[in-house]
Amino acid sequence: VSPCHTKYLANMGVAASISNAIIKDKKLWGLFICYSSTPKRLSYEHRHACILMSHMLSALLTHKELYQSKCEIRRIQEVQDRLLDRMVQQGKFPECLYKGTPNVMDLIECTGAAVYTKSHGLALLGKCPRHRDILNLVEWLNSNISDEVWETDCLVEHWEDALDLAELAAGLLVVSISPQLGSDYVMWFRPEVVQQVNWGGPIKDAIIYGDNGALNPRASFQKYVQLVRGRSLSFETHLAPAHALRMAVLSILAPEVTDTR
């Protein structure tokens, strides 16, 4: 055990501890840790029970996320099939993407969506940034993004003009729906989700160096609250339906159009 960790436990008045890892996808997802204020040695049976519990938690976590993922994939597929049927039957592009039900906002969970084409301009759904802000965003996308599908949970990290848009568009998922990348887009927006992170003391005091250069743990554990702003829920799991929408649009627009990727 690291001497720094031993001092850390002593500063908290801990005389014994046991840590158990919760593993997901072969990566550390979390820990459950037990402390005792008096010296305590666990029997083999108790240690084995803790290991078994950590394995059960890891399995339950994986099972729950897989189930939720399958349900969401099924929902998206149903909406996508209905949307594509409307596109084929109506043949009105791009109106079929934003008029009627379902539309692009039903496809991916969001609070606002926008469809921009050079031929028809901009159409908005739900809660979106101002018209001119989205047009500025389109210009930025044309100059800076060359991907067919692109997402971020913190738009301002990439585009500084998004600083005042976090309430409506902290996160962005965008797909190009033109044969040549750029110019025409479907965009989905998510607002910031303010996260409160509680720390056992100020972050700046997390690491303290002693006179001999050795690491020392903090001595104070007074709760320190950090607010993380400007980030939305991630769009990462919705890249596949966005890609599928692009391919469907290109195939429906005209038989002679080919995707130049």
Side-chain angles (χ1 to χ4, degrees):
V1 179
S2 165
C4 182
H5 184 62
T6 302
K7 291 180 181 179
Y8 181 84
L9 295 177
N11 289 346
M12 292 194 298
V14 173
S17 71
I18 182 171
S19 303
N20 296 271
I22 303 173
I23 305 297
K24 177 180 173 291
D25 298 331
K26 298 182 180 181
K27 295 180 180 180
L28 180 64
W29 182 87
L31 295 168
F32 70 89
I33 305 171
C34 303
Y35 294 129
S36 174
S37 59
T38 59
K40 188 178 185 67
R41 183 177 293 276
L42 291 182
S43 66
Y44 168 79
E45 290 77 15
H46 283 129
R47 296 197 305 272
H48 186 71
C50 288
I51 293 173
L52 180 61
M53 184 180 295
S54 69
H55 288 172
M56 290 177 61
L57 287 173
S58 298
L60 288 171
L61 174 66
T62 300
H63 180 269
K64 181 179 180 180
E65 292 200 351
L66 282 175
Y67 175 76
Q68 292 176 335
S69 177
K70 287 180 179 179
C71 290
E72 179 64 5
I73 289 173
R74 189 180 303 115
R75 184 198 70 80
I76 290 174
Q77 188 62 56
E78 291 175 355
V79 173
Q80 185 171 286
D81 290 344
R82 291 166 56 203
L83 178 59
L84 296 185
D85 285 344
R86 286 184 59 244
M87 291 170 63
V88 172
Q89 293 172 9
Q90 295 182 5
K92 294 181 179 180
F93 180 84
E95 292 93 331
C96 56
L97 295 177
Y98 54 83
K99 287 185 177 180
T101 302
N103 53 55
V104 292
M105 194 170 175
D106 299 309
L107 183 63
I108 292 175
E109 186 178 350
C110 62
T111 52
V115 178
Y116 174 81
T117 60
K118 284 184 176 180
S119 58
H120 289 71
L122 182 63
L124 306 179
L125 295 165
K127 297 179 180 179
C128 298
R130 293 172 300 180
H131 192 278
R132 67 172 178 268
D133 290 328
I134 297 182
L135 293 181
N136 290 337
L137 174 60
V138 168
E139 291 185 8
W140 178 83
L141 290 170
N142 286 336
S143 301
N144 295 274
I145 302 301
S146 58
D147 300 330
E148 295 176 353
V149 176
W150 184 78
E151 66 85 24
T152 178
D153 63 355
C154 187
L155 181 57
V156 72
E157 286 186 348
H158 307 274
W159 183 45
E160 61 181 15
D161 288 353
L163 183 62
D164 297 326
L165 306 181
E167 186 176 343
L168 297 172
L172 171 69
L173 171 62
V174 58
V175 56
S176 170
I177 53 172
S178 57
Q180 287 73 38
L181 295 181
S183 70
D184 296 349
Y185 299 101
V186 176
M187 294 165 275
W188 294 270
F189 305 106
R190 284 180 176 172
E192 72 171 348
V193 177
V194 180
Q195 300 180 57
Q196 178 175 307
V197 182
N198 298 325
W199 299 88
I203 301 174
K204 62 181 179 63
D205 297 334
I207 299 177
I208 302 173
Y209 291 95
D211 295 335
N212 59 355
L215 288 177
N216 289 323
R218 62 164 62 104
S220 171
F221 296 93
Q222 182 178 0
K223 185 170 75 170
Y224 175 78
V225 178
Q226 178 191 22
L227 294 180
V228 180
R229 308 190 66 99
R231 293 191 177 277
S232 73
L233 296 178
S234 176
F235 279 110
E236 200 170 27
T237 58
H238 293 86
L239 298 180
H243 274 289
L245 178 64
R246 169 179 164 79
M247 299 305 297
V249 168
L250 294 184
S251 65
I252 291 171
L253 279 178
E256 67 272 13
V257 172
T258 56
D259 186 4
T260 57
R261 287 190 291 175

